[in-house]
């Protein structure tokens, strides 16, 4: 097997959460909110091989973006480490570090938030490759023009500012900008979430074409299982900072093991498979400030039993390329049935 | 039975510096009692402005320039601002994508709900509080009595949206207009809210206009669907019929563009091109630059055709065997 491109090894990231402005105001009115520590990413192991498209799914606040950032090397871990081509990011120095930084690029949901509104497209895309000596000063314009053409933007747009573009066009600018430094890994964080279905299809096709053309590797963060199923080679499901299941899309959809994954798949709204009845799982996503003990999912899990409330389940192999973290893995089929029946009573 | 809502030839325009922007252009539809109608379309197609027009919430430079909006038979466009305020909130309620459009961050949820009750009904504070508590319970908020004293920021996004729904339910309106209320939420939470809304609409006999750009959500929730493009409704009909046998090329284009429409890993099939700028729409059918079926005649205005409970505006609609 080839060597991994990037790996998270027991990686954790904690934030001590300060009160925001609105919460401070709420406190003036007696809300009594306090500062707390959030385990945004809690002991995650994730290996991404060159050329793979790995999807990262899970509910809002479960730590997808944080994991994406630490794997892209733009945010340090609190514990554990991230390895780039086998080397710990913390150990990278000088040129090696710079090269890594360029090799991993992030593409966000709202490209406006990362595009400087006072810069023209030519500079937004052309600056980094010029600074890093990827292209010579007088060749920048041609280089940028070839990139914008590649992502489906007319070269006549080079002298415009970002606000003069639609959401889909701005996303193309963001992609061209990432490509300009010849990356190996693209971390796409909800990159198509804000787009209408037709524009979303255009951008997803572009991602897939670029993968073939430039041999790119993707970590594709999305809350949309339909999108992830379509384009990913492997899907990783997170819940409250932890990986709870990972498998190929076909295996995950046909044979989900974790009760949370099962709920996600069941509740996915779909046009082709119309369903008039909703059977939602109960309960709210718990606050990451006070994650439930044991299995984080137990307060919402229809199959929870005593052990789930006290012991954290570890990831175990369910089959080739399929792992999940659920205590039901340790029970035989009949025991599983009984455990489920007990809670149903 | 008279419909709850009958919108006739509604046009809402924005008088911008660069010209007249026809956000909503000659839109007609009805919503029957207890009916759930989904309004779908790309961003900028006029969905929200349609909703705002019904509620009289269009601000200058926007203006309803033509049409009638009959609510239980009365034209809302002819009503006095006072009468309109009574209708809004009491008989028609709106739920927005961002629940903070409804909620005030510095007031406890209970205070806001009690004020909403007392704005339209002369009841004691204790009774208003009891009604607020019951409404929170109805939308699935645990320990509603205690939660009345919480502030919006002490709720998660999904919970806040439930509170906004509870507020919309306080007066048991005849019609709720919901503008992408689950778009920002996760699938499991979205599913809970769709489940509750569907149950409550049936229980209280409310009609619902559900605005969304997610065909999957509308497919699961609505009885009827209306597809909007460039300020117009281009197709409308029963959900099952429209989604399985679309007549308008734009509807079929939207359906083909979703990932599930092609085998895994194969290229998706987007609609070619982009929605026209609302200030410079082509004459005739606004979809014609992007339509594979377009011919010369499409440069003239396609009239509304009504056949077997289906409405569409197209010269060359898809034909299905039964049709
Ligand atoms: N800079 C930060 N400071 C404090 N807390 C943070 C910070 N960044 C993230 N968090 C917290 O860490 C947790 C995980 O956040 P993250 O942004 O990774 O979630 P996510 O899965 O990407 O969610 P979404 O789907 O909403 O984008 C959340 O509880 C979040 O509030
Ligand atoms: N306040 C405003 N001023 C000018 N144009 C507006 C205003 N609000 C909306 N529009 C325009 O009206 C059209 C329809 O908008 P909207 O109803 O919000 O679309 P949707 O909800 O379908 O995304 C868009 O072209 C939009 O840019
Ligand atoms: S470990 Fe227990 S609570 Fe967690 S998912 Fe499995 S059965 Fe449910
Ligand atoms: S009227 Fe013509 S251009 Fe418009 S949708 Fe029909 S065939 Fe296409
Ligand atoms: Mg995120
Ligand atoms: Mg809108």
């Amino acid at each position: 097997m080839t060597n991994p491109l990037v790996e998270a090894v027991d990686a954790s990231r904690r934030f001590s959460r300060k009160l925001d402005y609105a919460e401070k105001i709420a406190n003036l009115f007696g809300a009594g909110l306090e500062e707390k520590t959030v385990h945004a990413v809690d002991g995650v192991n994730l290996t991404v091989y060159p050329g793979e498209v790995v999807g990262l799914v899970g509910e809002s606040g479960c730590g997808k973006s944080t994991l994406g950032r630490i794997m892209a090397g733009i945010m340090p871990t609190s514990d554990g480490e991230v390895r780039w081509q086998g080397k710990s990011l913390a150990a990278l120095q000088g040129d090696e570090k710079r090269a890594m930084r360029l090799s991993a690029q992030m593409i966000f949901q709202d490209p406006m938030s990362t595009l400087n509104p006072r810069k023209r497209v030519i500079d937004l895309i052309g600056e980094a490759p010029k600074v890093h000596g990827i292209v010579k000063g007088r060749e920048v314009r041609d280089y940028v023009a070839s990139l914008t053409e590649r992502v489906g933007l007319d070269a006549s747009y080079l002298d415009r500012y970002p606000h003069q573009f639609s959401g889909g066009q701005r996303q193309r600018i963001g992609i061209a900008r990432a490509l300009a430094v010849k990356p190996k890994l693209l971390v796409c964080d909800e990159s198509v979430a804000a787009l209408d279905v037709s524009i979303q299809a255009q951008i997803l096709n572009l991602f897939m074409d670029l993968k073939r053309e430039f041999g790119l590797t993707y970590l594709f963060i999305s809350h949309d299982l339909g999108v992830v199923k379509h384009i990913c080679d492997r899907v990783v499901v997170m819940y409250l900072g932890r990986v709870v299941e990972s498998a190929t899309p076909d295996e995950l959809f046909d044979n989900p093991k974790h009760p949370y994954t099962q709920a996600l798949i069941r509740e996915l709204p779909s046009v082709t498979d119309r369903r008039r009845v909703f059977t939602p799982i109960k309960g709210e996503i718990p606050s990451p400030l006070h994650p439930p003990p044991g299995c984080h999912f137990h307060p919402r899990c229809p199959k929870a039993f005593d052990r789930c409330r006290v012991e954290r389940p570890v990831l175990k192999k369910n089959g080739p390329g399929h792992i999940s973290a659920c205590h039901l893995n340790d029970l035989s089929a009949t025991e599983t049935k009984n455990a489920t029946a007990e809670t149903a009573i | 039975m008279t419909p709850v809502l009958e919108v006739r030839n509604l046009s809402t325009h924005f008088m911008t510096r660069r010209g007249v922007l026809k956000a909503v252009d000659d839109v007609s539809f009805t919503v029957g009692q207890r009916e759930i109608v989904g309004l779908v379309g790309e961003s900028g197609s006029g969905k929200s402005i349609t909703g705002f027009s019904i509620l009289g919430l269009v601000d200058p430079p926007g203006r309803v320039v033509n049409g009638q909006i009959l609510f239980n038979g009365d034209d809302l466009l002819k009503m006095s601002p006072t009468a309109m305020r009574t209708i809004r909130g009491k008989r028609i309620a709106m739920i927005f994508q961002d629940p903070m459009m409804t909620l005030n961050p510095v007031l406890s949820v209970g205070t806001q709900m009690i004020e909403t009750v007392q704005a339209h009904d002369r009841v004691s504070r204790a009774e208003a509080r009891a009604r607020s508590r019951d409404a929170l319970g109805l939308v699935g908020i645990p320990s509603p009595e205690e939660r009345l004293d919480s502030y919006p920021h002490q709720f998660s996004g999904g919970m806040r949206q439930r509170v906004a729904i509870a507020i919309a339910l306080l007066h048991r309106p005849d019609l709720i207009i919901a503008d992408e209320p689950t778009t920002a939420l996760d699938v499991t939470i979205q599913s809970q809210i769709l489940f509750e809304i569907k149950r409550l609409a049936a229980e209280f006999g409310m009609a619902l206009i559900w605005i969304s750009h997610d065909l999957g959500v509308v497919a699961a929730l609505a009885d009827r669907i209306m597809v909007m493009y460039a300020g117009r409704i281009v197709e409308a009909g029963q959900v099952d019929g429209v989604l399985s046998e679309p007549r308008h090329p734009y509807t079929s284009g939207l359906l083909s563009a979703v990932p599930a429409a092609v085998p895994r890993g194969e290229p998706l099939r987007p609609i070619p091109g982009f929605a026209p700028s609302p200030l410079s729409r082509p004459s005739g059918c606004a979809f014609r630059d992007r339509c594979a079926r377009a011919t010369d005649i499409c440069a003239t205005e396609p009239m509304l055709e009504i056949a077997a409970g289906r409405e569409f505006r197209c010269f060359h609609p898809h034909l299905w065997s039964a049709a």
Side-chain angles (χ1 to χ4, degrees):
Chain A
M1 193 147 201
T2 43
N3 295 321
L5 179 63
V6 60
E7 296 163 273
V9 184
D10 294 325
S12 293
R13 173 73 209 190
R14 288 181 296 273
F15 296 105
S16 90
R17 193 170 163 288
K18 304 239 179 324
L19 297 182
D20 67 22
Y21 181 66
E23 286 166 323
K24 281 180 191 156
I25 291 183
N27 267 353
L28 291 179
F29 290 83
L33 304 171
E34 299 164 35
E35 274 186 38
K36 289 273 170 52
T37 302
V38 181
H39 289 255
V41 172
D42 185 8
V44 166
N45 289 292
L46 176 60
T47 307
V48 180
Y49 291 93
E52 253 193 318
V53 181
V54 175
L56 198 54
V57 301
E59 285 166 313
S60 183
C62 72
K64 305 181 293 296
S65 300
T66 307
L67 181 59
R69 288 195 175 93
I70 65 179
M71 292 191 76
I74 61 172
M75 183 184 268
T77 51
S78 310
D79 277 319
E81 64 177 10
V82 171
R83 293 185 197 144
W84 178 261
Q85 297 182 320
K87 277 197 183 168
S88 171
L89 287 190
L92 292 183
Q93 299 285 332
D95 284 350
E96 240 181 353
K97 189 167 178 175
R98 222 171 2 257
M100 183 273 150
R101 278 294 176 84
L102 292 178
S103 293
Q105 291 289 314
M106 285 201 75
I107 295 174
F108 298 94
Q109 163 165 358
D110 178 16
M112 260 318 240
S113 66
T114 53
L115 297 177
N116 183 335
R118 280 179 293 279
K119 285 192 179 166
R120 291 169 305 150
V121 169
I122 171 88
D123 299 319
L124 287 169
I125 300 175
E127 221 155 57
K130 195 164 76 183
V131 169
H132 294 286
I134 292 169
V135 59
K136 291 199 194 71
R138 59 194 147 74
E139 287 157 16
V140 168
R141 202 172 176 90
D142 287 344
Y143 183 67
V144 173
S146 70
L147 284 167
T148 51
E149 193 187 331
R150 183 62 203 84
V151 299
L153 274 181
D154 198 290
S156 67
Y157 287 155
L158 289 190
D159 294 308
R160 293 208 196 167
Y161 295 89
H163 73 264
Q164 293 171 300
F165 293 94
S166 70
Q169 288 172 321
R170 287 203 291 263
Q171 201 52 278
R172 290 173 199 267
I173 298 172
I175 295 168
R177 192 170 70 143
L179 290 178
V181 294
K182 303 194 185 298
K184 294 192 169 77
L185 173 72
L186 289 186
V187 177
C188 302
D189 191 353
E190 300 283 4
S191 307
V192 296
L195 304 176
D196 283 313
V197 48
S198 181
I199 310 292
Q200 176 175 309
Q202 294 172 0
I203 300 288
L204 289 173
N205 282 349
L206 176 62
F207 278 137
M208 293 303 93
D209 293 345
L210 295 173
K211 169 184 146 70
R212 276 187 291 274
E213 202 171 314
F214 299 108
L216 294 172
T217 305
Y218 288 88
L219 184 59
F220 196 91
I221 298 172
S222 177
H223 69 277
D224 187 336
L225 264 177
V227 166
V228 165
K229 178 184 186 184
H230 190 78
I231 69 162
C232 295
D233 304 315
R234 185 150 58 94
V235 184
V236 176
V237 184
M238 280 181 83
Y239 191 80
L240 271 189
R242 297 174 181 172
V243 171
V244 297
E245 186 155 11
S246 168
T248 62
D250 287 337
E251 171 72 9
L252 194 83
F253 274 75
D254 294 345
N255 192 16
K257 289 291 182 200
H258 197 283
Y260 174 62
T261 315
Q262 291 166 358
L264 280 185
I265 290 170
R266 195 177 58 229
E267 298 310 309
L268 184 68
S270 136
V271 186
T272 41
D273 160 34
R274 284 203 287 290
R275 169 183 47 87
R276 299 316 213 102
V277 204
F278 302 96
T279 45
I281 41 173
K282 62 183 186 207
E284 287 291 314
I285 306 165
S287 158
L289 293 171
H290 330 266
C295 172
H296 284 347
F297 189 56
H298 85 251
R300 303 175 73 194
C301 181
K303 297 178 179 162
F305 54 107
D306 288 344
R307 187 177 166 199
C308 308
R309 287 176 261 278
V310 288
E311 188 184 333
R312 170 180 179 165
V314 294
L315 283 164
K316 293 199 174 154
K317 211 170 164 74
N318 299 108
H322 191 165
I323 50 172
S324 68
C326 171
H327 291 313
L328 294 175
N329 283 333
D330 298 342
L331 304 181
S332 66
T334 36
E335 283 172 314
T336 308
K337 231 194 222 122
N338 291 340
T340 315
E342 261 167 45
T343 46
I345 293 166
Chain B
M1 219 172 4
T2 45
V4 174
L5 185 74
E6 197 172 349
V7 174
R8 291 188 190 153
N9 308 104
L10 175 72
S11 293
T12 304
H13 295 177
F14 286 87
M15 318 303 163
T16 70
R17 270 182 298 142
R18 293 191 293 145
V20 177
L21 189 156
K22 300 179 176 175
V24 177
D25 192 13
D26 194 22
V27 159
S28 301
F29 63 91
T30 58
V31 180
Q33 290 181 25
R34 301 172 162 263
E35 192 175 38
I36 303 183
V37 180
L39 181 57
V40 301
E42 289 172 284
S43 105
S45 57
K47 306 181 297 293
S48 298
I49 301 299
T50 301
F52 290 162
S53 303
I54 295 167
L55 283 159
L57 292 176
V58 178
D59 293 322
R63 196 158 56 83
V64 175
V65 294
N66 188 41
Q68 290 178 304
I69 299 173
L70 305 177
F71 176 67
N72 290 326
D74 301 324
D75 192 347
L76 298 181
L77 295 175
K78 297 216 174 84
M79 250 175 219
S80 70
T82 331
M84 194 60 209
R85 259 196 304 279
T86 310
I87 297 246
R88 193 164 60 219
K90 193 165 164 68
R91 309 292 355 131
I92 309 179
M94 185 138 182
I95 307 169
F96 301 93
Q97 174 167 352
D98 179 359
M100 294 314 283
M101 296 260 297
T102 310
L103 299 171
N104 184 334
V106 301
L107 294 180
S108 76
V109 160
T111 306
Q112 301 184 50
M113 294 185 79
I114 290 165
E115 278 175 9
T116 308
V117 173
Q118 291 184 327
H120 297 294
D121 289 343
R122 300 189 47 161
V123 296
S124 71
R125 199 177 162 82
E127 189 180 337
R129 189 178 165 94
R131 254 166 76 179
S132 306
R133 180 200 55 214
D134 295 347
L136 286 184
L138 278 175
V139 297
I141 291 190
S143 0
E145 179 69 43
E146 290 144 50
R147 297 306 270 179
L148 279 177
D149 299 321
S150 302
Y151 291 82
H153 277 87
Q154 294 170 300
F155 290 94
S156 68
M159 287 272 227
R160 256 179 250 153
Q161 195 56 280
R162 280 167 200 265
V163 174
I165 294 172
I167 290 177
L169 290 174
L170 279 172
H171 293 283
R172 308 264 160 109
D174 304 324
L175 174 67
I176 291 186
I177 301 175
D179 191 358
E180 315 230 14
T182 58
T183 302
L185 303 176
D186 297 294
V187 222
T188 56
I189 305 298
Q190 165 170 288
S191 198
Q192 291 173 350
I193 288 185
L194 295 177
F195 173 81
E196 300 291 353
I197 276 280
K198 205 168 171 160
R199 178 176 67 78
L200 292 166
E203 198 171 315
F204 299 152
M206 294 181 299
L208 208 59
I209 299 178
W210 194 271
I211 299 175
S212 178
H213 67 272
D214 189 333
L215 289 166
V217 167
V218 169
L221 184 74
D223 305 313
R224 223 147 45 76
I225 184 170
M226 307 191 290
V227 182
M228 223 171 160
Y229 186 76
R232 300 213 146 163
I233 292 179
V234 295
E235 178 156 13
Q238 296 299 316
V239 164
D240 289 329
V242 171
L243 296 183
S244 51
E245 299 189 341
R247 304 294 312 266
H248 198 282
Y250 177 64
T251 314
S252 58
L254 279 182
L255 288 167
S256 308
V258 303
V262 296
R264 217 175 72 67
E266 276 184 25
L268 301 173
R269 293 195 296 255
I271 303 171
F274 310 95
S277 150
L279 284 166
S280 54
R281 286 184 189 140
S283 63
C285 175
F287 189 55
R288 106 184 120 90
D289 299 350
R290 308 174 71 185
C291 181
R293 301 169 78 90
T295 61
D296 290 347
I297 195 179
C298 303
T300 62
E301 195 70 56
M303 288 297 115
L304 186 71
E305 288 200 40
I306 305 178
R310 186 81 66 84
E311 302 172 15
F312 53 89
R313 282 174 189 265
C314 174
F315 288 110
H316 311 296
H318 295 288
L319 299 174
W320 297 91
S321 49

